[in-house]
Amino acid sequence: SDPTTATHGQWSPFGNLLVEDFERVEVLRGPQGTISGNNAEAGSINLFTRRGQGTPTFNLRTEMGSFATFKEGIDFSGGNESYDYFFGITQLNTKGGMKVGDRKRTKNDDYRNTSITTNVAKRLFNNKAEVRNIFRITRAKKQNPYSSSYDSRYQGPLEVEWDPFTYEATAHIIHDGFLENSLSNQTNIIERFTFSHAPVKWYDYNLGFGYNRFTHGFRSHEVQQGYLLDYTVSRLSNDRLMFDTQHNFKPHRFYTFQVGYALENNNYSTRTTPVMGTPIDPFSSSDIQNSVYFNNIINIKDILVIRPGVRILNHSGIGALAGGTYGLPNVSGALILPTPFVRDSYTKVRSSY
């Protein structure tokens, strides 16, 4: 499997992911903290990037819809027993159709999204090992039609244009003196390199290296008694470096023992720049998470499945991100039996802690 680099909480980019470059989505219900980490208390979602297979294939697609909505995509893929590859680009543009305010005027509700994805793999050692690299970059821009206040001093457009890479902002006028909070940008970069190897029948392992950069920029404004005091451009970002490894031992066909280690280094920063006022001091912080986990899987003919495990996590940081060392025990089980009087039907009883 090749799930996308882990994301969680307020740093999740799910709202801007386009589905065209995904092969499937895997949803695991119930606590998954042993394998997936302490944020998977209620479950986990794995996104699998498309893989190429068969003869080289080239696809070109386009879609059109209301409110000047256009989606274009292009991809190239292929593969065989020795290697596979996928390259895809998708772009979505729409003018939106939201109407707000007493005048029922159609406001600026544009949305733009460009996504570039690659997934390349090579098999080694008589197909007992695989090297895979997944890269994805998504840039999204959303214009908010919120109309907040009227100021007779401004009889034209007043807007902030902001470059999410240089963080430069300029102000100019919109229409009729209505001040609009009109710009939000999000950039998400995901890089994932994995090596997996099954040297013998009863043992396999994998190594993974990941990088994730998530940047969210937005503009807000301050109005007091109908007068514009300032426009503020803000940016928050998270840079995450990851290393993980998992080793699977299968001494018996009914039993699998897993042991793994994960290292995660996060760097957070925020920056707020008033266009007409005094810049606010930026804030930055970081934390490091080291964790080791042990997991047992007992599977008796797919009738009874029991999975006890524990994850030991050390979280070190500064300020509000300071943590400590603690353990996360987890146990789950399922019993699957034929449903009485219903042919080819099964009933599952499951529980987890």
Side-chain angles (χ1 to χ4, degrees):
S1 64
D2 59 302
T4 294
T5 302
T7 61
H8 50 78
Q10 67 270 38
W11 307 101
S12 172
F14 286 172
N16 290 303
L17 287 178
L18 301 179
V19 300
E20 281 74 14
D21 298 333
F22 288 110
E23 183 177 88
R24 70 184 190 275
V25 178
E26 179 184 76
V27 180
L28 301 177
R29 295 184 298 174
Q32 306 293 327
T34 302
I35 301 295
S36 302
N38 60 313
N39 289 290
E41 297 178 357
S44 65
I45 300 174
N46 292 328
L47 307 178
F48 292 82
T49 303
R50 284 179 59 186
R51 302 186 183 191
Q53 58 181 349
T55 58
T57 303
F58 175 82
N59 292 308
L60 179 65
R61 59 186 182 276
T62 182
E63 300 176 27
M64 294 174 285
S66 303
F67 308 111
T69 299
F70 295 91
K71 181 187 284 188
E72 300 88 18
I74 183 173
D75 63 70
F76 179 66
S77 62
N80 54 36
E81 294 182 355
S82 299
Y83 60 86
D84 62 75
Y85 55 88
F86 172 83
F87 306 93
I89 301 176
T90 303
Q91 180 170 286
L92 170 64
N93 294 283
T94 180
K95 294 295 184 181
M98 186 177 291
K99 294 184 178 181
V100 296
D102 296 336
R103 300 186 180 186
K104 303 301 181 182
R105 178 195 305 271
T106 300
K107 300 294 183 179
N108 196 357
D109 189 27
D110 293 6
Y111 177 75
R112 301 175 186 175
N113 187 313
T114 301
S115 179
I116 301 174
T117 304
T118 67
N119 187 358
V120 182
K122 172 65 177 176
R123 258 74 72 182
L124 307 169
F125 309 140
N126 296 322
N127 292 336
K128 292 183 178 181
E130 179 185 86
V131 177
R132 182 172 297 276
N133 189 82
I134 301 173
F135 174 79
R136 174 184 295 269
I137 180 171
T138 301
R139 294 192 63 185
K141 177 180 178 181
K142 178 70 174 70
Q143 292 182 310
N144 192 332
Y146 174 71
S147 179
S148 61
S149 159
Y150 181 84
D151 190 340
S152 60
R153 296 179 303 162
Y154 300 103
Q155 293 297 331
L158 180 56
E159 185 179 44
V160 169
E161 291 184 346
W162 177 64
D163 189 323
F165 288 105
T166 64
Y167 310 125
E168 296 179 353
T170 57
H172 58 93
I173 299 243
I174 291 190
H175 59 74
D176 297 341
F178 281 88
L179 310 180
E180 298 188 355
N181 180 14
S182 60
L183 195 58
S184 174
N185 288 270
Q186 186 180 104
T187 300
N188 188 52
I189 300 173
I190 294 173
E191 167 66 25
R192 176 71 173 172
F193 174 84
T194 58
F195 173 77
S196 57
H197 185 205
V200 292
K201 184 177 180 180
W202 54 268
Y203 168 68
D204 66 87
Y205 68 95
N206 60 71
L207 303 170
F209 302 87
Y211 171 71
N212 178 213
R213 176 172 175 80
F214 174 74
T215 303
H216 184 199
F218 53 93
R219 189 206 69 178
S220 60
H221 59 267
E222 182 180 357
V223 178
Q224 190 174 75
Q225 295 181 352
Y227 291 93
L228 174 69
L229 299 183
D230 199 359
Y231 267 78
T232 301
V233 176
S234 301
R235 185 264 298 176
L236 57 87
S237 65
N238 173 214
D239 288 280
R240 179 183 295 124
L241 290 171
M242 290 159 288
F243 167 76
D244 58 83
T245 180
Q246 180 174 301
H247 300 257
N248 305 304
F249 302 87
K250 303 175 183 178
H252 192 278
R253 61 193 180 98
F254 293 153
Y255 177 66
T256 300
F257 174 69
Q258 299 173 317
V259 57
Y261 169 77
L263 170 65
E264 181 176 310
N265 181 17
N266 287 282
N267 291 283
Y268 309 92
S269 66
T270 62
R271 178 177 176 178
T272 302
T273 306
V275 175
M276 294 174 283
T278 303
I280 301 174
D281 291 338
F283 169 81
S284 63
S285 184
S286 63
D287 70 87
I288 298 176
Q289 296 184 32
N290 286 276
S291 57
V292 59
Y293 59 86
F294 306 92
N295 193 47
N296 300 271
I297 302 176
I298 302 170
N299 187 339
I300 303 177
K301 297 184 177 181
D302 291 331
I303 297 175
L304 176 64
V305 180
I306 303 174
R307 195 189 65 173
V310 63
R311 188 182 188 99
I312 302 172
L313 173 68
N314 176 264
H315 185 184
S316 62
I318 60 175
L321 299 178
T325 301
Y326 47 92
L328 300 171
N330 173 258
V331 60
S332 60
L335 179 63
I336 305 172
L337 297 172
T339 303
F341 312 112
V342 181
R343 186 177 180 181
D344 297 328
S345 178
Y346 295 86
T347 300
K348 178 190 292 186
V349 180
R350 59 187 301 271
S351 180
S352 60
Y353 169 78

